Amino acid sequence: MYDVVLLVEQELSQEDAHRVVELHQDMPEPVRYHVLVPCHNAEAGVEASISALGTADLYGTGLGDQRSELAEAQKAIDSEARDCTGRSVQRLRDLGHDAVGGISHDRPIDALTATVDKAGGQEVIILTRPHIVAEFFHLDWTNTARRHLGVPVLHLLEHDPEKAEK
């Protein structure tokens, strides 16, 4: 079995699933895809934003009163991420390939490294929207993954169906 770990920024479109599968169409052994979707931590994001703005003093001891609202927001974020992962996995399965998936609240590269280690990943594909500034400074997921992993890392830009229609 040849294990490929996919780190995707958003749901894998039908076109992207086809592109990924085409990359491995001549493999002599079966391919298993491991889809990883990073999931935003709502509470940490709000606290980081408040701290970055230097307004933490205005909110007293933090977000104690808003914990239930943040927990509900996190449930919604997690649910959408799981649904995104499920649809992405199903698209790969519909193309005749073994696929599994999961979400992670860890930093994307940490989650990617752990998934590659756990799955015995032999290749990584990262699908993102263009991130020009991060790519220029080599701070994007792909360049970071290449520095941390000992397997081939391919960066693909996600297919944007809206731009394709124009």
Side-chain angles (χ1 to χ4, degrees), residues 86-140:
R87 289 187 299 267
S88 298
V89 165
Q90 190 58 51
R91 285 192 175 106
L92 293 165
R93 288 178 180 166
D94 289 346
L95 294 171
H97 290 274
D98 185 10
V100 296
I103 66 170
S104 175
H105 295 98
D106 296 336
R107 286 185 14 183
I109 297 303
D110 293 341
L112 177 63
T113 301
T115 303
V116 168
D117 290 344
K118 181 179 177 186
Q122 295 150 288
E123 178 181 332
V124 169
I125 298 175
I126 298 175
L127 279 89
T128 66
R129 297 180 308 271
H131 297 282
I132 306 302
V133 173
E135 290 171 16
F136 179 78
F137 289 108
H138 301 284
L139 300 173
D140 59 308

Side-chain angles (χ1 to χ4, degrees), residues 61-76:
T61 59
L63 302 169
D65 296 339
Q66 300 168 356
R67 297 250 186 253
S68 63
E69 289 92 355
L70 287 172
E72 286 300 314
Q74 190 65 54
K75 284 181 189 175

